[in-house]
C-alpha cells in the first residue's frame, strides 16, 4: 500500500477526506452500530446533511459549511453585474 501524494511528494492530498472519515466514524458509525448496508447508507446520508448544515466547524469560525458556501455565493453575485450594452455578465469593477 502506497501513501497517496500529489506531484510534489507531499502527503497532504487526503488530509481533509481522512478528517471527514474520522469524524463520520467517531460521531456516527461507532455510536449507532448500523446493522445493514441500507441502514448505513441512510445514516451516513443523514449525518452528512447534519455535518454540512447544522454542525459548527472550528476551522470555519464556528460556522457550518453551508453558511460559508452561501456567504461566498452572495459575495460572488454582488461582484457581478449585467452590462446594459452587451447583456453579458462582467465584474462590477469593469462595468
Amino acid at each position: 500500500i502506497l501513501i497517496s501524494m500529489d506531484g510534489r511528494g507531499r502527503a497532504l492530498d487526503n488530509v481533509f477526506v481522512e478528517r471527514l472519515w474520522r469524524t463520520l466514524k467517531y460521531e456516527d458509525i461507532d455510536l449507532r452500530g448500523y446493522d445493514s448496508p441500507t441502514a448505513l447508507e441512510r445514516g451516513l446520508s443523514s449525518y452528512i446533511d447534519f455535518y454540512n448544515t447544522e454542525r459548527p466547524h472550528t476551522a470555519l469560525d464556528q460556522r457550518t459549511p453551508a453558511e460559508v458556501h452561501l456567504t461566498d455565493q452572495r459575495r460572488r453575485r454582488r461582484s457581478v453585474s449585467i452590462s446594459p450594452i452587451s447583456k453579458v455578465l462582467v465584474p462590477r469593477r469593469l462595468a
Side-chain angles (χ1 to χ4, degrees):
I1 297 176
L2 297 174
I3 296 173
S4 174
M5 296 183 185
D6 67 7
R8 290 173 234 168
R10 293 181 297 168
L12 299 176
D13 290 347
N14 292 326
V15 70
F16 300 109
V17 173
E18 293 294 334
R19 188 175 295 157
L20 171 63
W21 282 119
R22 183 190 65 203
T23 301
L24 278 168
K25 183 176 186 255
Y26 292 140
E27 293 184 10
D28 188 64
I29 297 169
D30 287 350
L31 297 176
R32 299 194 190 283
Y34 295 106
D35 59 358
S36 72
T38 303
L40 174 64
E41 186 177 347
R42 278 192 224 119
L44 288 179
S45 178
S46 177
Y47 184 80
I48 289 171
D49 184 53
F50 164 78
Y51 183 88
N52 286 324
T53 60
E54 297 179 44
R55 184 183 182 274
H57 294 249
T58 304
L60 302 176
D61 295 327
Q62 296 303 315
R63 295 179 297 162
T64 67
E67 290 170 332
V68 172
H69 178 72
L70 289 174
T71 300
D72 188 47
Q73 281 192 332
R74 287 182 189 129
R75 276 193 201 126
R76 286 184 195 162
R77 282 190 201 127
R78 283 194 302 258
S79 69
V80 173
S81 64
I82 297 177
S83 170
I85 296 169
S86 63
K87 301 285 187 198
V88 296
L89 295 176
V90 293
R92 227 175 242 186
R93 63 184 175 275
L94 299 176

